[in-house]
Amino acid sequence: MTDQQNQARAMRPTQVATHHDDAKARIDSWWRLPTAAEADKAARGALEAMPWSDGLIQFSVLHSPGEPTLFLQSLWTTAAARDHYVHHVAPIPRATIDDRFPDIERDRSLTEIVAVVAHGDTVAEKWITRRLPATDDASAQALVARQTARLRGEKTQGLVRATLGVGRDEDGNPTEVIVIEEWSGSTHSDVLAYEPFGAITPAV
């Protein structure tokens, strides 16, 4: 089946989630728009433009109520499936968004999921993202160990789950550790918080 035929497959709405037991890789993206209204339009546009691709589990869009900023995340069964999307499928929806929102500022990380810390099954209401620079595999592993210990010992009421990933460059070298924290209420943090906007998943 060709990429064009794959992209025509149906997607359906689902609940925003940044964790799935079958996910091994992610694309974490941060978008900033000039205004909140444009951010909301870009969020809707992202959901409309995201195509089906082999290995895609879910695509979620979250927005910050206080800033014209979005956090977008796709979850993938394998890094190979994610990389195929990045190199062979993503240029089409990306061009669509760039044409509609020329003032968009983007940042992205291709992330491998390495650890999950769960405190319960409560439905999350807010999300925060932490990006911690890494210089090599050793520093990334040390950051993951420290963050995992912090999150496991976290006594603050409301932390539901945290997913840790290592972001890598095109050569496979670690560049950062990304922590996605899910909260059922207040985040008790001065880090920018995101709330659910929408999500889609393959219909079949």
Side-chain angles (χ1 to χ4, degrees), residues 117-181:
V117 177
H119 288 289
D121 296 324
T122 307
V123 176
E125 300 173 5
K126 298 181 185 296
W127 280 254
I128 65 174
T129 67
R130 302 182 190 272
R131 307 182 71 180
L132 310 171
T135 56
D136 53 27
D137 283 312
S139 67
Q141 292 171 6
L143 282 168
V144 168
R146 286 198 296 270
Q147 290 296 309
T148 300
R150 174 183 70 84
L151 293 160
R152 284 177 175 164
E154 181 63 72
K155 302 301 183 183
T156 303
Q157 185 71 24
L159 180 63
V160 176
R161 181 189 294 107
T163 307
L164 297 86
V166 176
R168 297 181 181 275
D169 62 21
E170 293 184 356
D171 295 323
N173 300 311
T175 58
E176 60 184 328
V177 170
I178 301 174
V179 184
I180 311 298
E181 298 178 12

Side-chain angles (χ1 to χ4, degrees), residues 31-105:
W31 292 4
R32 186 171 183 86
L33 283 297
T35 67
E38 288 184 76
D40 284 351
K41 290 179 182 178
R44 286 191 291 272
L47 290 166
E48 293 168 0
M50 183 67 183
W52 184 97
S53 188
D54 188 33
L56 175 65
I57 296 173
Q58 177 160 331
F59 175 62
S60 295
V61 180
L62 301 96
H63 67 139
S64 171
E67 298 283 344
T69 305
L70 305 174
F71 175 61
L72 308 91
Q73 185 191 79
S74 53
L75 297 173
W76 300 85
T77 54
T78 65
R82 177 203 61 198
D83 293 346
H84 174 84
Y85 168 80
V86 168
H87 295 297
H88 301 287
V89 182
I92 296 174
R94 181 186 178 97
T96 299
I97 294 297
D98 287 347
D99 286 345
R100 293 179 60 185
F101 307 99
D103 295 327
I104 193 170
E105 298 177 16

